[in-house]
């Protein structure tokens, strides 16, 4: 029952933000701070040895990133054509499909009892690759040139992910006795932060969400669920463990939709930003539900 608390609260906060956006919209400027807190907390659960072990999981890293940049763009294009989405919405879908893994994927992996070090490594690698692949794949599939702010993107990546994560790992390594005392509450703090982020995203995009058609919502849901399914079963077919399969599924299915929204608004139109805005909400809810299911399954197995 405890495992269901996260998705239930995520849905409740989304509904509340829909009907009373004024409660959350004022906190839009604090999203980065919340993500930093989350990454710091996750770092406190890791050691440098966890990342050393990634060198022995190169194949998992390679499979995950390949699936992400092959499956997600193709599904985005296919779903857009299937639903007959207009050009601006198709551009938005492609921007989401060609994005790297999002920071939220690390949180969801953490909750799902996946391989957090692998998740963070995949996010970092896919983000670096997306600087080249995102504009190339968008041009390849729909003939649109997308200027990606590479330097700004790398700076944000360092500030939001690398710095707090490294600080957390250092604290866990050199002040382990002290960190042990607060490690138990960090998952709760992380869940609270991601729930607040979901509510803020819903509140900030409330007007656009009400205008968008059901087809776009369905397109986004199919896109996300396809990534989760291809990631999980693709990893299983390749012979990876349950823990790694969960991680790859989450990394492939959860995109950096925030970046796609920013690029759409800057280089295209508000309409092109809608798929990314909806994806930001949906992938957190679907990810939370899936993570809670997997976490409860792991806890049950451990008890047995």
């Amino acid at each position: 029952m405890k495992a269901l608390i996260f998705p239930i609260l995520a849905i409740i906060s989304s509904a509340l933000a829909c009907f009373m956006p004024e409660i959350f919209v004022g906190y839009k400027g604090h999203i980065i701070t919340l993500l930093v807190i989350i990454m710091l907390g996750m770092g406190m659960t890791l050691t440098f040895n966890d990342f050393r072990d990634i060198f022995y999981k190169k194949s998992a890293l390679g499979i995950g990133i390949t699936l992400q940049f092959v499956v997600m763009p193709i599904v985005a294009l296919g779903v857009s054509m299937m639903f007959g989405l207009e050009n601006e919405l198709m551009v938005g879908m492609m921007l989401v499909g060609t994005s790297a893994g999002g920071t939220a994927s690390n949180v969801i992996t953490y909750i799902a009892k996946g391989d957090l070090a692998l998740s963070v490594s995949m996010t970092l690698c896919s983000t670096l690759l997306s600087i080249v692949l995102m504009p190339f794949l968008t041009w390849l599939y729909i003939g649109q040139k997308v200027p990606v702010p590479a330097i700004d993107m790398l700076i944000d990546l360092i500030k939001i992910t690398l710095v707090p994560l490294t600080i957390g790992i250092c604290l866990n390594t050199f002040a382990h006795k002290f960190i042990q005392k607060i490690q138990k509450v960090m998952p709760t703090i992380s869940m609270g932060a991601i729930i607040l982020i979901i509510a803020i995203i819903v509140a900030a995009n409330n007007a656009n969400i009400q205008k968008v058609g059901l087809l776009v919502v369905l397109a986004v849901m199919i896109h996300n669920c396809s990534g989760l399914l291809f990631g999980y079963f693709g990893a299983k077919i390749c012979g990876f463990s349950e823990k790694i399969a969960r991680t790859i599924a989450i990394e492939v299915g959860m995109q950096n939709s925030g970046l796609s929204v920013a690029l759409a608004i800057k280089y295209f139109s508000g309409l092109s930003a809608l798929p990314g805005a909806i994806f930001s909400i949906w992938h957190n809810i679907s990810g939370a539900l899936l993570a809670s299911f997997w976490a409860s399954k792991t806890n049950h197995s451990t008890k047995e």
Side-chain angles (χ1 to χ4, degrees), residues 167-203:
I167 292 171
I169 294 170
C170 288
L171 287 172
N172 190 32
T173 303
F174 301 110
H176 184 65
K177 287 184 179 179
F178 170 74
I179 295 303
Q180 262 188 320
K181 297 175 183 177
I182 60 174
Q183 272 182 336
K184 290 182 180 179
V185 300
M186 290 314 297
T188 303
I189 292 173
S190 296
M191 283 191 284
I194 198 67
I195 286 166
L196 183 54
I197 288 171
I198 293 170
I200 294 168
I201 291 171
V202 173

Side-chain angles (χ1 to χ4, degrees), residues 190-261:
S190 296
M191 283 191 284
I194 198 67
I195 286 166
L196 183 54
I197 288 171
I198 293 170
I200 294 168
I201 291 171
V202 173
N205 294 282
N206 189 44
N208 288 330
I209 292 167
Q210 290 181 13
K211 292 176 187 176
V212 76
L214 180 61
L215 284 182
V216 182
V217 176
L218 286 174
V220 166
M221 292 171 72
I222 291 171
H223 185 225
N224 168 242
C225 291
S226 297
L228 294 170
L229 287 170
F230 275 105
Y232 182 80
F233 289 107
K236 281 292 190 179
I237 289 169
C238 291
F240 291 112
S241 66
E242 174 69 18
K243 190 173 184 177
I244 290 178
R246 293 179 186 184
T247 305
I248 292 176
I250 293 166
E251 282 296 321
V252 174
M254 297 186 70
Q255 307 293 92
N256 188 351
S257 48
L259 175 63
S260 71
V261 169

Side-chain angles (χ1 to χ4, degrees), residues 105-136:
S105 65
N106 306 141
V107 183
I108 298 301
T109 298
Y110 178 46
I111 295 166
K113 312 291 186 186
D115 190 323
L116 184 54
L118 176 62
S119 175
V120 172
S121 298
M122 280 186 66
T123 300
L124 293 176
C125 290
S126 65
T127 300
L128 293 172
L129 286 171
S130 71
I131 295 170
V132 175
L133 291 178
M134 190 175 185
F136 172 72

Side-chain angles (χ1 to χ4, degrees), residues 4-301:
L4 294 174
I5 293 175
F6 182 29
I8 289 171
L9 288 178
I11 293 169
I12 291 172
S13 67
S14 298
L16 190 61
C18 249
F19 292 107
M20 291 183 282
E22 65 278 0
I23 296 175
F24 301 101
V25 77
Y27 295 100
K28 189 177 178 181
H30 297 293
I31 288 179
I32 290 178
T33 303
L34 291 167
L35 287 171
V36 167
I37 291 170
I38 291 166
M39 295 308 296
L40 178 65
M42 288 193 291
M44 291 180 188
T45 69
L46 295 169
T47 66
F48 290 109
N49 287 336
D50 291 321
F51 289 92
R52 184 194 62 189
D53 293 340
I54 291 300
F55 290 103
Y56 303 104
K57 299 174 183 175
K58 291 192 292 290
S59 56
L61 192 66
I63 289 294
I65 291 174
T66 300
L67 287 170
Q68 184 164 43
F69 286 113
V70 172
V71 170
M72 296 307 274
I74 292 175
V75 173
L77 181 64
V79 170
S80 298
M81 294 176 69
M82 182 174 70
F83 287 124
L85 299 182
E86 56 187 279
N87 289 339
E88 288 179 294
L89 290 173
M90 184 180 287
V91 168
M93 287 294 298
M94 288 308 301
L95 286 172
V96 174
T98 56
S99 291
T103 308
S105 65
N106 306 141
V107 183
I108 298 301
T109 298
Y110 178 46
I111 295 166
K113 312 291 186 186
D115 190 323
L116 184 54
L118 176 62
S119 175
V120 172
S121 298
M122 280 186 66
T123 300
L124 293 176
C125 290
S126 65
T127 300
L128 293 172
L129 286 171
S130 71
I131 295 170
V132 175
L133 291 178
M134 190 175 185
F136 172 72
L137 290 171
T138 305
W139 169 82
L140 179 67
Y141 285 112
I142 59 175
Q144 293 282 359
K145 292 183 180 179
V146 185
V148 176
I151 301 300
D152 291 342
M153 196 164 139
L154 282 173
I155 290 171
D156 284 341
L157 176 67
I158 291 167
K159 288 191 299 186
I160 296 170
T161 304
L162 277 182
V163 172
L165 193 73
T166 303
I167 292 171
I169 294 170
C170 288
L171 287 172
N172 190 32
T173 303
F174 301 110
H176 184 65
K177 287 184 179 179
F178 170 74
I179 295 303
Q180 262 188 320
K181 297 175 183 177
I182 60 174
Q183 272 182 336
K184 290 182 180 179
V185 300
M186 290 314 297
T188 303
I189 292 173
S190 296
M191 283 191 284
I194 198 67
I195 286 166
L196 183 54
I197 288 171
I198 293 170
I200 294 168
I201 291 171
V202 173
N205 294 282
N206 189 44
N208 288 330
I209 292 167
Q210 290 181 13
K211 292 176 187 176
V212 76
L214 180 61
L215 284 182
V216 182
V217 176
L218 286 174
V220 166
M221 292 171 72
I222 291 171
H223 185 225
N224 168 242
C225 291
S226 297
L228 294 170
L229 287 170
F230 275 105
Y232 182 80
F233 289 107
K236 281 292 190 179
I237 289 169
C238 291
F240 291 112
S241 66
E242 174 69 18
K243 190 173 184 177
I244 290 178
R246 293 179 186 184
T247 305
I248 292 176
I250 293 166
E251 282 296 321
V252 174
M254 297 186 70
Q255 307 293 92
N256 188 351
S257 48
L259 175 63
S260 71
V261 169
L263 289 174
I265 291 171
K266 187 170 184 178
Y267 300 109
F268 297 100
S269 67
L271 190 60
S272 294
L274 285 179
I278 294 169
F279 198 96
S280 293
I281 300 158
W282 169 252
H283 82 160
N284 278 303
I285 292 174
S286 67
L289 287 167
L290 188 58
S292 297
F293 169 73
W294 274 335
S296 63
K297 194 175 174 183
T298 301
N299 292 335
H300 182 68
S301 299

